Amino acid sequence: VQLQASGGGLVQAGDSLRLSCAASGRTFSIPRMGWFRQAPGKEREFVSSISWSSGSTAYADSVKGRFTISKDNAKNTVYLQMDSLKPEDTAVYYCAARHITTGQYDSWGQGTQVTVSS
């Protein structure tokens, strides 16, 4: 499975951004997609995830009410709409695919930088 993330950039606090993650390859083996982020000097953390089939979603408490994850099955693409951005959202954002065989996020995209200025 290959993942291609895009959509990062430099914005001001309160602005919005939409990240995209296109999946290719053995997409039938990845029932769930996730977004993670890693800020400088910090551990990578979970942001959100979505099921390809049911559309069920999950969010970290820090982004609930501000971020929305969605999918387009026809395009094998997952989106992360980020509204009301805060400086603490600054990080490299990664999309990842959870494999049906391992139950782990084993495939990762290259990361896209999101910088929120105050």
Side-chain angles (χ1 to χ4, degrees), residues 4-20:
Q4 181 70 41
S6 62
L10 171 63
V11 298
Q12 293 187 328
D15 286 350
S16 298
L17 273 177
R18 189 177 81 156
L19 306 182
S20 300

Side-chain angles (χ1 to χ4, degrees), residues 38-59:
Q38 187 167 21
K42 294 189 175 181
E43 297 282 321
R44 186 176 297 184
E45 65 175 358
F46 169 80
V47 175
S48 184
S49 67
I50 189 167
S51 164
W52 282 115
S53 58
S54 69
S56 66
T57 59
Y59 295 93

Side-chain angles (χ1 to χ4, degrees), residues 24-88:
S24 60
R26 298 167 62 90
T27 55
F28 60 85
S29 66
I30 50 170
R32 196 167 190 93
M33 295 285 291
W35 285 98
F36 294 74
R37 67 186 182 186
Q38 187 167 21
K42 294 189 175 181
E43 297 282 321
R44 186 176 297 184
E45 65 175 358
F46 169 80
V47 175
S48 184
S49 67
I50 189 167
S51 164
W52 282 115
S53 58
S54 69
S56 66
T57 59
Y59 295 93
D61 288 343
S62 59
V63 306
K64 277 181 183 176
R66 299 188 299 120
F67 291 11
T68 303
I69 192 169
S70 62
K71 62 184 176 70
D72 184 333
N73 289 58
K75 296 181 179 179
N76 287 333
T77 299
V78 172
Y79 305 96
L80 185 68
Q81 177 67 40
M82 305 185 293
D83 298 321
S84 301
L85 282 161
K86 304 175 180 180
E88 51 263 45

